[in-house]
Amino acid sequence: MPRLRTADPLWLAHRANRESPHYPGIASDLRADVAIVGGGITGATVAWMFARAGARVVVLDAARVGRGSTAASTALLMQEPDTDFAELSRRYGPKNARRVWRLSSAAARDFVGTLESLDIRCHLQHRDSVYYALGEPAGRRLHDELRRRRRAGIPGRWLDAAALRRATGIDGAGAIRTGGNAQADPYLACTGLLRAATHEGARIFERSSVDRIDTDAGGGVTLAVNGFAIRCATVVIATGYATPSFEPLAGRFRMLHTYVVTTPRVPARIRRELGLGDVMLWDAARPYHYARWTNDNRLLLGGGDRPRVPERQRAKALRDGAAGVWRYFERRYPALKHIDIDFAWEGLFAATPDGLPYVGPHPDYPKHLFALGYGGNGMTFGFLAARLLLEWYRGKRTDDHRLFGFDRTVVLNR
Ligand SMILES: Cc1cc2nc3c(=O)[nH]c(=O)nc-3n(C[C@H](O)[C@H](O)[C@H](O)COP(=O)(O)OP(=O)(O)OC[C@H]3O[C@@H](n4cnc5c(N)ncnc54)[C@H](O)[C@@H]3O)c2cc1C
């Protein structure tokens, strides 16, 4: 299996995060209603929702919970999917595009609401996002994107060049400002949700790799884990991407590296000179770049995605990728020359051709439910996936399941 990230992210260096929860390894056979493979943000959310709904839940992570892609995440909790509304409308029609956007927006809101109501301390901060274009014709395209969103009832406000500069310090053509987004520490959010899941009765196991899954004649599945057998009615695959056990599905995903750097705490004087307000910033170019402040006034910069490199080139690719992200922002923010890089890391993520995750069953894998392939939107989409899977598990089938199903390109274009 590929390593999900290289170099330790900022979150794992925080004191509270170093003192992280430890869960035991599997040491006996078990029975459950639902086994969840993967203890990242998706597995954690699925565990909490299913356990709260009364299912007997077991979570299995091959390594340590929350330390895969989730620990690498920059945790911009965005309502806006990475795929523009115009692009999704072209693919699946405006009605389906509108529904995806509505679901994504509701998921971001509900995710934030859940973190708050469970009192999960993860440095959650409400933030607007600013989605900007540097020049023309990208600015005109972005303005057109906003027009289409508005026609579909999706909120957003246009910032002209002067307003963009005031809000962010960036010289560009214009931007869409969207309210109601948030940011957090992804590791604390994940471990907090897992703790909440245990309060609902979920059992969590680390260093417990699921090596095989067999469908039983009786209608359930048996998971082989550390030489023990876990029998359950349903297994949820929340590993982020199609692991080698699901090799036939691998062609549906493109694996990309993405890069992050953070500064040390930035003094107020330099913050003012930089001019980036309390917003989350991302650009309309592809691959995109993004920036946000952390709760302790570090500047967190990311982006510059690139296709997968061989493992032995990964360290050099990290140096190049981090330097590329830094250069991009140094051109926008000359005041960065006064600041150093404190942390640099990278992570792998799985992207799909239309930018939407695959959520739900697959005909070749009975009793399996999948939640994979989020692109850069795993925080929001992971929450949405958990909700859709719980509905499915309880026998509810809606058009929303068709939007994220493995056969959506056929179903939605009928
Ligand atoms: C650098 C970076 C920045 C990002 N920034 C953002 C952002 O700002 N906003 C956003 O919404 N998303 C962002 N993302 C995406 C988001 O972080 C991911 O989509 C999300 O964390 C995926 O969570 P997950 O739980 O599905 O997977 P993971 O967190 O990767 O968890 C999967 C778990 O499965 C376990 N596993 C794998 N195989 C097995 C097995 N056989 N048996 C048992 N366990 C197994 C692994 O050990 C791992 O812990 C970013 C991603 C990266 C890499």
Side-chain angles (χ1 to χ4, degrees):
M1 281 200 289
R3 279 179 303 153
L4 292 169
R5 59 178 171 78
T6 52
D8 267 354
L10 169 68
W11 324 115
L12 295 183
H14 276 174
R15 194 170 152 270
N17 299 8
R18 284 203 307 269
E19 292 159 8
S20 54
H22 284 262
Y23 295 101
I26 279 280
S28 66
D29 293 347
L30 284 181
R31 278 181 186 278
D33 297 323
V34 180
I36 299 163
V37 187
I41 194 74
T42 308
T45 315
V46 172
W48 172 70
M49 278 196 199
F50 276 62
R52 197 175 56 135
R56 286 179 308 152
V57 168
V58 171
V59 179
L60 303 149
D61 198 289
R64 301 281 311 281
V65 296
R67 289 174 179 251
S69 305
T70 296
S73 182
T74 41
L76 282 68
L77 314 181
M78 304 279 265
Q79 306 173 48
E80 307 107 291
D82 281 357
T83 314
D84 279 345
F85 182 78
E87 165 62 16
L88 264 188
S89 297
R90 257 192 303 277
R91 266 184 190 269
Y92 298 131
K95 185 165 162 270
N96 289 321
R98 185 165 55 238
R99 186 66 190 153
V100 168
W101 272 68
R102 289 255 161 90
L103 288 170
S104 173
S105 169
R109 217 177 28 245
D110 293 349
F111 186 26
V112 170
T114 298
L115 294 171
E116 284 174 338
S117 66
L118 292 173
D119 198 18
I120 293 175
R121 308 237 163 112
C122 56
H123 309 306
L124 183 69
Q125 292 173 307
H126 292 259
R127 289 284 179 268
D128 288 4
S129 66
V130 174
Y131 182 41
Y132 66 93
L134 280 177
E136 301 294 357
R140 281 193 296 279
R141 273 199 305 275
L142 201 58
H143 203 266
D144 182 57
E145 164 74 10
L146 178 62
R147 228 171 15 85
R148 286 167 191 267
R149 288 188 197 177
R150 282 206 184 129
R151 269 209 307 264
I154 300 162
R157 189 153 60 84
W158 183 248
L159 303 184
D160 63 15
L164 171 63
R165 181 155 185 82
R166 272 197 305 279
T168 68
I170 292 252
D171 279 323
I176 301 173
R177 182 166 184 149
T178 306
N181 292 325
Q183 60 188 37
D185 175 325
Y187 180 72
L188 287 179
C190 177
T191 50
L193 275 167
L194 284 168
R195 202 171 310 111
T198 61
H199 295 154
E200 301 288 351
R203 288 172 291 173
I204 298 169
F205 298 93
E206 294 184 315
R207 299 191 172 91
S208 298
S209 175
V210 176
D211 299 323
R212 239 180 96 130
I213 305 177
D214 294 306
T215 308
D216 303 334
V221 281
T222 300
L223 282 60
V225 187
N226 297 357
F228 298 101
I230 299 180
R231 294 199 169 74
C232 57
T234 303
V235 59
V236 175
I237 309 299
T239 49
Y241 68 103
T243 56
S245 317
F246 298 97
E247 223 277 315
L249 301 182
R252 290 174 174 272
F253 304 95
R254 208 158 46 101
M255 298 299 286
L256 298 166
H257 298 274
T258 183
Y259 301 92
V260 186
V261 296
T262 65
T263 66
R265 289 174 188 169
V266 178
R269 181 182 57 78
I270 299 181
R271 272 189 76 143
R272 276 196 300 279
E273 200 182 326
L274 284 163
L276 175 61
D278 280 335
V279 292
M280 304 186 300
L281 188 65
W282 59 307
D283 73 341
R286 294 293 181 272
Y288 57 66
H289 291 84
Y290 56 91
R292 73 166 173 93
W293 293 105
T294 63
N295 70 308
D296 59 355
N297 293 330
R298 295 163 182 271
L299 189 56
L300 190 159
L301 309 168
D305 309 349
R306 60 176 286 182
R308 190 138 170 229
V309 300
E311 208 54 34
R312 65 177 186 288
Q313 290 170 17
R314 221 163 144 179
K316 176 174 182 321
L318 167 58
R319 284 194 298 277
D320 294 347
V325 168
W326 188 259
R327 263 196 315 276
Y328 172 90
F329 280 105
E330 220 174 16
R331 278 203 295 276
R332 265 72 266 165
Y333 293 113
L336 280 179
K337 65 176 177 297
H338 305 304
I339 310 174
D340 293 325
I341 294 178
D342 203 13
F343 285 84
W345 70 90
E346 61 98 55
L348 270 177
F349 70 92
T352 60
D354 58 9
L356 304 182
Y358 291 111
V359 180
H362 188 285
D364 294 345
Y365 299 97
K367 303 294 170 190
H368 288 56
L369 292 175
F370 293 88
L372 306 173
Y374 305 108
N377 275 105
M379 298 286 128
T380 305
F381 278 152
F383 195 87
L384 173 60
R387 189 176 70 63
L388 292 175
L389 291 187
L390 181 59
E391 284 179 4
W392 188 275
Y393 176 74
R394 290 165 143 179
K396 185 170 170 191
R397 310 283 183 266
T398 70
D399 284 347
D400 293 346
H401 295 103
R402 292 150 43 106
L403 291 173
F404 299 95
F406 280 95
D407 55 355
R408 61 174 169 261
T409 39
V410 181
V411 172
L412 299 181
N413 290 319
R414 235 175 237 152

